[in-house]
Amino acid sequence: MKRFGNLYSEIAEIDNVRRAFDNAQRGKRHYTEVQRINADRERYVNDLYSMLQERRYSTSEYKIMTRNDTGKERTIYVLPFYPDRVVHHAVMQVLEPIWEKLLIRDTYSAIKGRGVHDGLRRIKEMLKDKEGTQYCLKMDVRKFYPNINHDIMKSLLRKKIKCEDALNLLDEIVDSAPGVPIGNYLSQYLGNLYLTYFDHWMKETVGAKYYARYCDDLVVFGSNKGWLHDVRERVDEYLYNQLRLGIKNNWQVFPTAVRGVDFLGYRFFGDKTLVRKSIAKRYKRRMREVARHVWPTCPNVVMSYKGWLKYAGAKGLWNSYADNNVMASVAAAKREAE
């Protein structure tokens, strides 16, 4: 397996740092911290360039908060925009092309061009083989991000990277919090890397023709319930022995046509696709909020929900709540941003 060296010089190169400043502030230009830094941007660029060149960067103190995410309490770790979020972008601009080549086709989280809607199209394509997708095994990894083992994570990083300075930088980021912290820009990529060799094992050793992963949510389709139960036992064994992880106890094997497959925010019933009920409820609530208030990111909120509903053919639901008041708020937010 080819390993890459001389990566740190690319990460710490001045043009890469400038590009990281641009990429890190997408959707965040209205933040007070970002506006303050942009007022004296070149000084901050040069300071960070010097910090990286002199190997002086270390992760800032995290702001830790608890967020209720659709009924689940999650511990969120937040780092400052400068220098940390910019550094993470500088790292990923160099390493993302290397790591992306490792990923199987049917993993969708945090990959350019392979988001939720790409996954939706792929699942629909799989379900066309009605015989081969009669049954579904659905699993979640138990407390995935908090349980990522640092020693294993570092060994996986070394499978493709041999540049010591780049590895020292990555090791420092990995060791900056327990597990891999939710909220860190780099975390979604590290999470993908942690499971990518497991994905290959599923496809190449287990022989799961119809397998897909979105972050820590896994689905496997098959024509035989017994085979899927055997796959679940093998997955449990692999995850524990190789990655010190486990599957949640709520795993299920069920007929796809009867139950439908809840994955990627949709419910798949063969030829029919519905939006998950919780997303439909959230959409209605957010549209009422947008109609009452204008905030800088409301155009992004509205259009993201439009995408969700469009791919499920829920035009009626969209028209019922995206009324004139909502669209007026979107227009006002766009004018304010300009």
Side-chain angles (χ1 to χ4, degrees):
M1 180 182 290
K2 180 180 179 182
R3 298 172 70 224
F4 291 81
N6 301 318
L7 296 172
Y8 190 85
S9 59
E10 295 181 45
I11 293 170
E13 202 268 329
I14 187 66
D15 287 340
N16 191 55
V17 172
R18 285 201 175 96
R19 188 155 60 95
F21 265 85
D22 292 335
N23 290 333
Q25 61 183 275
R26 286 179 183 168
K28 298 176 175 60
R29 287 186 172 86
H30 61 285
Y31 287 13
T32 302
E33 181 190 10
V34 176
Q35 292 176 348
R36 174 178 57 80
I37 288 167
N38 278 339
D40 195 8
R41 174 190 166 101
E42 202 57 27
R43 178 174 70 84
Y44 283 100
V45 168
N46 288 324
D47 284 351
L48 183 53
Y49 170 69
S50 298
M51 191 186 303
L52 289 172
Q53 288 289 326
E54 296 165 13
R55 281 67 170 169
R56 289 187 289 107
Y57 169 77
S58 62
T59 302
S60 303
E61 184 175 350
Y62 286 94
K63 180 180 178 182
I64 302 174
M65 60 185 73
T66 302
R67 178 181 299 165
N68 191 297
D69 183 12
T70 63
K72 298 178 183 177
E73 281 208 344
R74 299 184 186 276
T75 302
I76 308 297
Y77 291 73
V78 181
L79 286 171
F81 169 80
Y82 177 89
D84 305 275
R85 196 165 183 88
V86 180
V87 168
H88 289 195
H89 275 269
V91 168
M92 287 312 305
Q93 285 163 188
V94 175
L95 298 187
E96 187 174 13
I98 296 171
W99 287 344
E100 272 194 4
K101 292 176 182 176
L102 289 172
L103 303 176
I104 66 167
R105 176 62 183 87
D106 288 305
T107 184
Y108 308 109
S109 177
I111 306 165
K112 290 175 183 176
R114 282 201 265 160
V116 166
H117 295 141
D118 177 63
L120 178 144
R121 286 188 291 267
R122 296 281 294 180
I123 297 296
K124 283 183 173 181
E125 192 66 30
M126 292 179 191
L127 291 173
K128 288 181 181 179
D129 180 357
K130 297 186 186 301
E131 177 67 26
T133 61
Q134 281 187 74
Y135 299 99
C136 176
L137 166 61
K138 189 174 188 299
M139 305 171 282
D140 298 342
V141 179
R142 187 188 307 118
K143 295 184 179 179
F144 174 51
Y145 284 107
N147 284 332
I148 287 178
N149 180 284
H150 287 191
D151 290 336
I152 296 173
M153 183 80 259
K154 291 176 189 178
S155 71
L156 294 175
L157 290 170
R158 282 156 175 78
K159 283 180 177 287
K160 292 299 289 183
I161 299 171
K162 62 182 179 180
C163 172
E164 285 301 320
D165 285 329
L167 288 168
N168 288 338
L169 175 60
L170 289 166
D171 288 351
E172 195 280 331
I173 294 171
V174 167
D175 287 334
S176 66
V180 167
I182 299 172
N184 234 343
Y185 176 70
L186 199 53
S187 295
Q188 53 195 337
Y189 299 97
L190 293 177
N192 263 340
L193 183 65
Y194 201 75
L195 288 177
T196 194
Y197 296 99
F198 163 76
D199 292 338
H200 282 279
W201 175 79
M202 284 290 291
K203 298 290 287 183
E204 296 153 19
T205 302
V206 175
K209 179 180 179 181
Y210 299 122
Y211 162 75
R213 177 174 65 82
Y214 183 86
C215 190
D216 55 351
D217 293 341
L218 321 169
V219 291
V220 189
F221 299 105
S223 59
N224 183 285
K225 289 173 69 174
W227 179 75
L228 289 173
H229 280 283
D230 180 62
V231 169
R232 199 276 307 170
E233 291 180 3
R234 295 178 68 184
V235 166
D236 244 349
E237 184 178 348
Y238 180 100
L239 289 179
Y240 179 77
N241 290 334
Q242 301 297 323
L243 298 174
R244 298 296 181 264
L245 296 174
I247 293 295
K248 289 182 184 177
N249 292 329
N250 63 352
W251 63 270
Q252 297 175 329
V253 174
F254 53 88
T256 55
V258 177
R259 288 274 304 278
V261 181
D262 189 334
F263 187 57
L264 300 170
Y266 294 93
R267 290 181 295 152
F268 299 90
F269 294 87
D271 299 331
K272 184 180 179 182
T273 305
L274 303 176
V275 176
R276 184 183 289 161
K277 288 181 180 179
S278 60
I279 290 176
K281 288 181 180 178
R282 203 154 64 239
Y283 161 72
K284 296 172 185 178
R285 185 179 70 248
R286 293 307 296 272
M287 292 307 101
R288 288 192 288 265
E289 292 172 357
V290 171
R292 291 194 299 267
H293 307 287
V294 176
W295 67 87
T297 58
C298 79
N300 297 336
V301 170
V302 172
M303 298 316 291
S304 69
Y305 277 112
K306 185 175 184 180
W308 280 105
L309 301 181
K310 171 186 173 184
Y311 282 87
K315 186 177 180 180
L317 181 59
W318 166 258
N319 290 337
S320 297
Y321 287 86
D323 57 17
N324 291 335
N325 290 335
V326 167
M327 301 318 291
S329 292
V330 170
K334 286 182 176 178
R335 286 195 299 271
E336 189 174 322
E338 292 169 357

